[in-house]
Amino acid sequence: AILAYNTCFADFSYQQSGTGTDDSKGTEPVLEKDNNEFERQDFALTFGCELPNDLSLFVGYKLGQTEIQMGQSQRSFDDGLTKYRTGNATFDSKGPFIGMAYSYPFGRDDKGLKTSQLGVKLAVTKLGADYTQTNTTRIDGVAGDDVDNWLLSGDTFGCTLGVNWTAPIFNKHFSYRVALDYYNYNFDTDSAHVVRNEEALPINILGGGMNYDLKESMYSLQLQLLYQF
């Protein structure tokens, strides 16, 4: 939802993706089958003001969360045992942003106000990220489950690019906007730990020739309804 008064505006946005799936299947000598499901939620609060020469400045804060449910089964034809592994993971990212936007008018009314406009924007974001994953492994014929928890955190400076089209619907107060945004963040991993079978202390797994990457990439398409007082 966007509220605008004079040359200033406030925007609160919430997006939720539908549940996606990712399936795969292996072959002999180990028969492997994967089944992953995921969903995404995003929140953003933005405040901005128009500047001369069709420019605008905005600041805000954003939060994103991806939840993943993973299932995997492996059957070895050598010993006939089947291993089942399930996992639940959450990827959270949040932080402030600041940006500039430019809008090119396509027509103006008798008062010189824009009727339709094509806009582009660039925002710089400082994000922190946390990734947690709990894995549970069970093997046929073996008593007990093997449980481990993975904890990773990182931060990054990133950019968001966007393009939008705005046009009136009924009168000068009501209009619609179609917006397309893209970002691709590569986080610097600050810490990586694993806790196995509910041990008291986490084990540091960062370094030692192992790399743990946190990456986030997304396209966002929005259709917005605007009312200007």
Side-chain angles (χ1 to χ4, degrees):
I2 299 178
L3 293 177
Y5 180 75
N6 201 356
T7 60
C8 296
F9 62 90
D11 178 14
F12 173 76
S13 64
Y14 168 72
Q15 300 179 69
Q16 182 175 9
S17 67
T19 301
T21 60
D22 180 18
D23 300 317
S24 63
K25 187 175 182 179
T27 57
E28 298 184 16
V30 177
L31 180 62
E32 179 178 309
K33 184 178 181 181
D34 296 323
N35 182 16
N36 302 320
E37 296 184 355
F38 55 89
E39 62 180 18
R40 172 79 181 186
Q41 297 183 88
D42 286 279
F43 303 85
L45 182 61
T46 307
F47 298 96
C49 288
E50 293 184 1
L51 302 175
N53 301 318
D54 298 316
L55 295 172
S56 61
L57 174 68
F58 58 89
V59 297
Y61 196 87
K62 63 179 295 184
L63 303 93
Q65 183 181 78
T66 302
E67 295 182 346
I68 309 170
Q69 295 182 341
M70 297 165 285
Q72 182 186 76
S73 62
Q74 294 180 338
R75 182 176 182 181
S76 173
F77 290 93
D78 294 332
D79 52 24
L81 295 179
T82 302
K83 177 190 293 186
Y84 302 95
R85 184 176 184 180
T86 59
N88 294 300
T90 302
F91 181 74
D92 294 308
S93 61
K94 57 185 178 180
F97 60 86
I98 183 171
M100 294 282 294
Y102 172 77
S103 60
Y104 182 82
F106 285 83
R108 296 180 183 270
D109 60 18
D110 54 0
K111 295 182 179 180
L113 300 176
K114 305 172 193 175
T115 53
S116 301
Q117 57 186 341
L118 178 66
V120 293
K121 71 175 183 180
L122 172 64
V124 178
T125 309
K126 177 174 172 54
L127 290 178
D130 295 296
Y131 179 83
T132 60
Q133 179 175 328
T134 300
N135 300 319
T136 303
T137 304
R138 177 173 57 86
I139 302 176
D140 283 349
V142 180
D145 294 336
D146 183 21
V147 180
D148 56 78
N149 296 281
W150 296 77
L151 314 170
L152 285 78
S153 63
D155 58 75
T156 187
F157 278 98
C159 292
T160 299
L161 302 175
V163 60
N164 62 78
W165 169 258
T166 306
I169 302 178
F170 306 113
N171 52 48
K172 65 179 182 179
H173 296 291
F174 286 96
S175 59
Y176 73 92
R177 174 179 294 169
V178 180
L180 176 64
D181 294 336
Y182 169 74
Y183 63 79
N184 185 11
Y185 301 139
N186 291 317
F187 293 85
D188 297 324
T189 305
D190 299 325
S191 65
H193 297 84
V194 62
V195 180
R196 300 188 184 279
N197 294 322
E198 300 181 355
E199 294 177 355
L201 297 176
I203 303 172
N204 183 15
I205 55 175
L206 190 63
M210 297 292 291
N211 294 319
Y212 298 91
D213 295 328
L214 292 174
K215 298 182 179 180
E216 189 175 36
S217 179
M218 180 175 292
Y219 289 94
S220 173
L221 180 63
Q222 303 178 53
L223 176 61
Q224 302 171 332
L225 178 65
L226 295 82
Y227 178 81
Q228 186 170 4
F229 296 95

